[in-house]
Amino acid sequence: MSVLQQTPVAVPAPAPRKRYRRQDRSGYLFLLPWFAGMLFTIIPFFASLYLAFTDYNLLNPPEWIGLANFREMLADERLMRSLRVTVIYTVVSVPLSLAAALGVAMVLQQGIRGLPVYRAIFYLPSLLGSSVAVVILWRYLFGVDGVINKGLAWFGITGPAWTTDPSHALTTLIILHVWTFGSPMVIFLAGLRQIPAAYYEAAAVDGAGPWRRFRSVTLPLLSPIIFFNLVQSLIASLQTFTQGFVMSGGTGGPADSTLFYNLYLYLRGFTQFDMGYASAMAWVLFVLIALLTAVNFLAARWWVFYDD
């Protein structure tokens, strides 16, 4: 065997720059579907901004009218009622939902048997809560002759018309929203498991009771999770649509008591074909949500603590 045959041939490694370019091409190839999907978001996004300053009814070309849609919104009494319904729904349902989620998470954190089963049972409503089927089921449960009123009748209580009485219709939807606390509950449960037990032991040695440990240990260390769930819940509540649409048959009734902002936007755009006005409403909601989110982030400096 010759010396030349025994000498291993070194294969030159690709230059780092070429290797990175090859990796970049692969990355962009996998991102192509995302870029294609973004076109279906970005184009309608900016098109709606243009339509907000036009009079457009889907049948004729858009006609530029400047700020007329926004001036009309200021004098629209039904729009103001939809804002009131949405604000009440958000202010009441979000704290109740987060409190229920945190309470159940703390109970499950105690190490009870069958935890995965309970976690799945509580999480399931959050997957189905905004679906049409569950809202229809909810309407039958809270009907005049529904299960709830029949249950109250056993105790001699005459239940109200939960879904057809303007004074109770929104309350029914708030109860439905609170019932779907499973998603924040799972996040709270994960956050509670990250709190070191040593903190609770040290607090107990110092004589802190359960309430003091909750207030001085749990809440501060869980504040980033509370903040995350709060922002998510606020954004979702302000965009509520399906529950009001299905419960009221698409009218926002009775007496506009379930007329959410998004439902009124839908009625103006797709039943009255006033797409310019509906686009203006969509942009007002977008700006409102952006401002509330920004305020939340600014306020977080004073009550959210990160354990760095």
Side-chain angles (χ1 to χ4, degrees):
M1 186 176 293
S2 67
V3 175
L4 183 59
Q5 289 174 325
Q6 294 176 350
T7 305
V9 179
V11 178
R17 193 176 185 82
K18 280 187 176 180
R19 188 170 65 248
Y20 289 140
R21 284 179 179 174
R22 195 178 306 132
Q23 293 176 350
D24 290 346
R25 282 198 295 271
S26 301
Y28 287 127
L29 185 64
F30 281 107
L31 285 173
L32 270 180
W34 183 82
F35 284 124
M38 280 300 294
L39 291 178
F40 292 99
T41 300
I42 292 175
I43 293 175
F45 181 81
F46 288 105
S48 69
L49 178 59
Y50 168 70
L51 292 176
F53 297 94
T54 66
D55 181 12
Y56 181 46
N57 61 5
L58 291 177
L59 301 177
N60 299 312
E63 180 184 352
W64 183 267
I65 56 173
L67 297 174
N69 284 328
F70 296 96
R71 285 195 293 268
E72 183 183 346
M73 290 174 65
L74 294 176
D76 190 342
E77 293 183 0
R78 206 171 184 210
L79 172 68
M80 296 304 163
R81 285 199 294 273
S82 71
L83 268 175
R84 178 175 173 273
V85 168
T86 306
V87 169
I88 291 175
Y89 176 81
T90 302
V91 169
V92 176
S93 67
V94 169
L96 289 177
S97 176
L98 293 182
L102 180 57
V104 173
M106 293 190 67
V107 172
L108 296 180
Q109 173 66 8
Q110 303 306 313
I112 61 176
R113 297 182 62 183
L115 175 61
V117 176
Y118 289 112
R119 192 169 51 200
I121 290 173
F122 285 119
Y123 182 68
L124 190 61
S126 66
L127 296 177
L128 305 174
S130 60
S131 68
V132 174
V134 170
V135 178
I136 292 175
L137 173 64
W138 206 258
R139 191 168 62 181
Y140 283 109
L141 286 176
F142 281 88
V144 176
D145 297 324
V147 175
I148 303 298
N149 279 353
K150 287 182 179 177
L152 292 175
W154 289 346
F155 300 97
I157 302 173
T158 303
W162 296 97
T163 59
T164 55
D165 187 339
S167 58
H168 293 93
L170 186 59
T171 304
T172 307
L173 293 181
I174 290 173
I175 295 172
L176 172 60
H177 180 86
V178 175
W179 178 63
T180 60
F181 62 82
S183 182
M185 183 269 295
V186 170
I187 301 174
F188 277 138
L189 190 58
L192 287 170
R193 292 190 166 191
Q194 299 302 316
I195 299 176
Y199 291 167
Y200 292 107
E201 293 168 0
V205 170
D206 289 341
W211 169 247
R212 185 59 186 272
R213 292 199 295 271
F214 172 75
R215 190 165 58 88
S216 302
V217 178
T218 304
L219 281 183
L221 294 179
L222 203 62
S223 57
I225 307 296
I226 297 173
F227 174 66
F228 173 79
N229 280 331
L230 175 64
V231 172
Q232 293 287 324
S233 299
L234 275 178
I235 294 173
S237 296
L238 290 171
Q239 299 180 82
T240 299
F241 171 78
T242 305
Q243 295 91 328
F245 181 86
V246 177
M247 192 71 79
S248 67
T251 62
D256 286 347
S257 59
T258 60
L259 183 68
F260 289 98
Y261 187 91
N262 266 356
L263 178 54
Y264 184 52
L265 188 157
Y266 167 82
L267 293 175
R268 290 300 297 257
F270 294 97
T271 62
Q272 302 178 21
F273 300 109
D274 195 351
M275 297 302 293
Y277 190 83
S279 298
M281 284 184 63
W283 271 92
V284 168
L285 180 61
F286 172 74
V287 172
L288 177 64
I289 290 176
L291 287 176
L292 282 177
T293 305
V295 169
N296 271 324
F297 272 90
L298 289 174
R301 298 177 182 177
W302 288 280
W303 68 274
V304 178
F305 305 97
Y306 293 96
D307 187 16
D308 295 330

